Amino acid sequence: MGRNEKAKERRDQRLQEISLLRTIPYSDHQRWWSTDTVAVVTGSNRGIGFEIARQLAAHGLTVVLTSRDDAVGEEAAKVLQEGGLNVVFHQLDVTDPSSIRSFADWIHESYGGIDILVNNAGVNFNVGSDNSVESAPMVISTNYYGTKNMIKAMIPLMRPSAAGARIVNVSSRLGRLNGRRNRIGDLALREKLNDIETLTEEFVDHTVSTFLKQVEEGTWMSGGWPQTFTDYSVSKLAVNAYTRLMAKILSDRPEGHKIFVNCYCPGWVKTTMTGWAGNIPTEHGADTGVWLALLPDQAVSGKFFAERREVSF
């Protein structure tokens, strides 16, 4: 089978999946959204992000699919559009402040605002048993600072509603503070990151800056950092901490202007990021993210989920 035939086969399969998904009722949700509801999904040209965009669009929302690469993003959006889904593409590089500003301006001009932000864009350069920190600055810049900067840029654009706006951060259990495996060895640091009453953005930034400094100095191995997928784990640890912090900050907003922010672990999904070694299909990896984005329970914020269940940080 030639390359074009394989591409056509993959596209036909995606179109069939779209048609199937649209027939599945969302019986465990109160339908508060409509075609006017706008959801932005970062890094959604492939993998989990693409699947989140697909599922949200299949539930009747307007979805903005984003990608660093114009051609790749346009092709991904075209696949969903051919399935009859309301998806538009716009270029976005979450590591580039000017790209974020340009995207925010376009959102304001095109839609006036958004209702849902899914921070999916992320990178990981370790596969299997590899644990190089050579790309740590890029991992931290994309996974943590990219997520944080998108939240800051989109909050002023999140539209008032009775249901509340939603922010979903794609994270990982590798970044858990108190997991049995892969946790930070420094107990005092764990306690500071775990204390939501005293936690600040500056301290989260200081934590990742300390890690990057030790990487640069070559001393990180004795710093008590996670020993598996170290740079990725630290980046997701920061995302988890920032999720809890933002939920606390946003909790004071008045009714009708609420913004709920949560994070979730999709599991070890079979994507390019895992070198296709994952054991979870993308549709399952995306499910909890979509569930959180559409959840009607306004009391849920500042939580960490996996498989639609709350897990500890």
Side-chain angles (χ1 to χ4, degrees):
M1 183 182 293
R3 181 179 298 178
N4 290 338
E5 290 176 321
K6 287 182 178 179
K8 183 178 183 301
E9 184 179 11
R10 287 195 297 269
R11 176 174 292 184
D12 289 344
Q13 182 179 0
R14 284 175 172 175
L15 293 178
Q16 289 175 1
E17 290 172 348
I18 290 170
S19 297
L20 176 62
L21 182 60
R22 297 178 85 178
T23 67
I24 301 174
Y26 229 56
S27 57
D28 58 342
H29 282 70
Q30 177 184 343
R31 189 182 177 91
W32 57 267
W33 62 91
S34 70
T35 56
D36 294 326
T37 304
V38 177
V40 169
V41 185
T42 67
S44 46
N45 56 285
R46 67 182 184 184
I48 297 170
F50 178 87
E51 183 61 24
I52 290 174
R54 179 174 78 89
Q55 291 189 25
L56 287 173
H59 286 301
L61 288 78
T62 295
V63 176
V64 180
L65 181 151
T66 74
S67 169
R68 287 178 297 180
D69 186 296
D70 283 278
V72 172
E74 287 171 356
E75 177 61 24
K78 184 179 178 182
V79 169
L80 299 180
Q81 291 162 358
E82 289 178 352
L85 301 181
N86 193 9
V87 176
V88 296
F89 167 72
H90 196 279
Q91 191 275 340
L92 173 65
D93 181 350
V94 300
T95 67
D96 182 355
S98 65
S99 178
I100 293 177
R101 286 194 298 270
S102 176
F103 180 78
D105 290 343
W106 175 80
I107 283 288
H108 184 262
E109 293 169 5
S110 302
Y111 300 102
I114 67 171
D115 305 280
I116 296 169
L117 169 64
V118 180
N119 283 305
N120 167 78
V123 293
N124 170 44
F125 296 97
N126 290 310
V127 178
S129 60
D130 295 342
N131 192 36
S132 168
V133 294
E134 182 179 347
S135 301
M138 174 59 73
V139 172
I140 297 295
S141 174
T142 305
N143 298 0
Y144 170 55
Y145 286 109
T147 294
K148 183 174 82 163
N149 292 338
M150 276 301 295
I151 289 174
K152 289 189 172 186
M154 292 295 106
I155 280 179
L157 294 172
M158 303 203 96
R159 299 188 289 203
S161 70
R166 318 295 170 88
I167 299 173
V168 179
N169 298 324
V170 180
S171 190
S172 173
R173 278 175 284 206
L174 287 171
R176 290 178 65 202
L177 274 174
N178 298 307
R180 292 182 180 179
R181 299 172 56 194
N182 214 44
R183 65 185 177 186
I184 289 178
D186 186 335
L187 179 60
L189 178 56
R190 288 211 312 269
E191 290 178 345
K192 288 180 180 179
L193 288 170
N194 195 46
D195 187 352
I196 190 60
E197 296 305 318
T198 60
L199 185 65
T200 64
E201 178 182 339
E202 290 74 20
F203 186 74
V204 180
D205 287 355
H206 173 72
T207 299
V208 297
S209 295
T210 299
F211 168 67
L212 289 175
K213 185 173 184 294
Q214 292 182 10
V215 167
E216 185 179 357
E217 296 171 344
T219 61
W220 68 271
M221 292 191 72
S222 59
W225 304 104
Q227 296 300 301
T228 303
F229 295 95
T230 301
D231 51 7
Y232 181 80
S233 298
V234 172
S235 73
K236 294 304 186 181
L237 173 76
V239 167
N240 292 348
Y242 192 70
T243 298
R244 296 171 67 228
L245 178 62
M246 286 308 302
K248 179 186 176 185
I249 292 171
L250 295 170
S251 65
D252 291 336
R253 293 173 70 96
E255 291 299 327
H257 295 265
K258 294 289 188 182
I259 300 175
F260 307 105
V261 53
N262 295 286
C263 57
Y264 90 101
C265 175
W268 196 239
V269 181
K270 193 176 182 67
T271 64
T272 54
M273 184 179 286
T274 64
W276 303 102
N279 57 5
I280 298 174
T282 53
E283 57 266 29
H284 292 168
D287 175 74
T288 299
V290 174
W291 175 73
L292 284 171
L294 303 181
L295 195 67
D297 186 353
Q298 297 183 27
V300 178
S301 194
K303 305 296 184 181
F304 186 22
F305 291 86
E307 293 146 9
R308 297 198 184 190
R309 298 184 184 91
E310 184 181 346
V311 296
S312 70
F313 282 93

